[in-house]
């Protein structure tokens, strides 16, 4: 029964991987197709979509080399590929959060060459660290020759998944802190505007509540997707059935489908570019100064 459940969850992971590839490939194509989508926000969204696309591809390859063409060596490569892709996805989410914070905290200087340099530096660092994390198991930090050191995610070692989980918890706490600061800034700005108008309107409360609710949904979705797997990697025993690993990993794979909906498809300029790309219904008139990433 557990073996059948594990296989079913593996099929679901592969299916979600295919959906990840399709949904995120469209985002990457739209951003590459539209010259107007070159602002820091869209560079970050493109990075996130690319990482999630690669993660989806990795899920498909991992399924193939574990259940169709069994090969420990190739399976190790696909696990390293998955680690790098998911790490790049989480790092891109952190970079988007930092960008949103900077767009509010340094609103007057946000549209400057310094911001562009900062964004590119963040992304280079994020992808560089992600690549290193993915290479660690491939270069020898695995349990292929020492089964006693295996974690719940074979062939990764216990120390490896502990490092990955600790990194995730740190990123989650940083994002939580930044979103709390963003909420404070948004509420303060809205209150100041209302005071300048000499009264607090109903729209003031509605707008503030909507912004805070959206931020809560973003962070809540991220936490609900990744926390079960991160916690299980720390407390789980390698002797536990693999069905538990797949069950906790599955929400994380769905996060790669949710990300483009939250960060890309809700954006009006991406919607406009999508119409232009597929229908040619009208010509998008998107200025360089697109909607601020602080719009959530």
């Amino acid at each position: 029964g557990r073996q059948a459940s594990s296989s079913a969850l593996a099929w679901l992971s592969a299916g979600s991987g295919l959906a990840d590839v399709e949904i995120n490939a469209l985002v990457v194509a739209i951003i590459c197709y539209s010259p107007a989508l070159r602002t820091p926000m869209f560079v970050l969204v493109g990075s996130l979509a690319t990482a999630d696309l690669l993660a989806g591809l990795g899920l498909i390859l991992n399924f193939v080399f574990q259940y169709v063409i069994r090969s420990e060596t190739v399976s190790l490569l696909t696990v390293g590929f998955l680690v790098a892709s998911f790490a790049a996805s989480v790092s891109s989410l952190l970079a988007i959060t930092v960008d949103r914070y900077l767009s509010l905290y340094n609103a007057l200087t946000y549209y400057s060459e310094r911001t562009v340099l900062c964004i590119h530096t963040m992304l280079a660092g994020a992808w560089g660290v992600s690549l290193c994390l993915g290479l660690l198991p491939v270069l020898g930090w695995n349990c292929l020759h020492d089964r006693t050191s295996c974690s719940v995610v074979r062939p990764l070692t216990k120390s490896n998944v502990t490092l990955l989980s600790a990194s995730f918890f740190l990123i989650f706490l940083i994002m939580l802190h930044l979103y709390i600061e963003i909420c404070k800034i948004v509420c303060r700005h809205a209150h100041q505007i209302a005071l300048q108008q000499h009264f607090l309107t109903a729209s003031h409360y509605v707008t503030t509540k909507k912004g805070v609710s959206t931020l809560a949904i973003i962070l809540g979705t991220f936490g609900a997707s990744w926390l079960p797997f991160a916690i299980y990697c720390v407390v789980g025993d390698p002797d536990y059935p693999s069905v538990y690993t797949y069950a906790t990993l599955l929400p994380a794979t769905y996060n790669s489908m949710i990300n483009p909906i939250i960060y890309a498809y809700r954006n009006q300029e991406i919607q406009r570019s999508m119409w232009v790309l597929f229908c040619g219904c009208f010509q998008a008139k998107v200025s360089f100064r697109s909607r601020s990433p602080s719009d959530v």
Side-chain angles (χ1 to χ4, degrees), residues 100-246:
R100 285 181 166 176
Y101 174 75
L102 291 177
S103 70
L104 290 170
Y105 187 76
N106 296 323
L108 296 178
T109 59
Y110 176 76
Y111 292 99
S112 65
E113 292 297 325
R114 183 178 179 183
T115 300
V116 175
L117 178 61
C118 177
I119 296 301
H120 288 148
T121 302
M122 273 199 304
L123 285 182
W127 280 90
V129 171
S130 300
L131 181 60
C132 291
L133 290 173
L135 285 174
L136 287 177
V138 177
L139 296 177
W141 201 2
N142 59 67
C143 63
L144 290 181
H145 304 294
D146 182 14
R147 299 293 179 180
T148 59
S149 65
C150 281
S151 68
V152 294
V153 185
R154 295 182 180 87
L156 300 182
T157 63
K158 295 176 184 177
S159 54
N160 195 334
V161 297
T162 300
L163 171 65
L164 293 173
S165 297
S167 300
F168 168 79
F169 292 135
L170 177 62
I171 288 175
F172 182 75
L173 289 175
I174 293 173
M175 289 178 63
L176 177 62
H177 172 72
L178 288 175
Y179 273 126
I180 290 174
E181 292 301 314
I182 288 173
C183 285
K184 290 179 180 178
I185 295 173
V186 170
C187 292
R188 186 165 61 247
H189 284 183
H191 187 71
Q192 288 173 349
I193 292 172
L195 288 179
Q196 288 175 359
Q197 297 173 348
H198 303 295
F199 60 91
L200 296 175
T201 62
S203 61
H204 158 70
Y205 292 107
V206 171
T207 302
T208 304
K209 183 179 179 181
K210 181 181 178 182
V212 173
S213 298
T214 304
L215 292 176
I217 291 172
I218 291 172
L219 193 62
T221 301
F222 176 64
S225 300
W226 277 104
L227 279 174
F229 182 66
I231 293 173
Y232 181 68
C233 283
V234 176
V235 303
D237 189 279
D239 294 328
Y240 290 168
S242 59
V243 63
Y244 297 155
T245 302
Y246 281 112

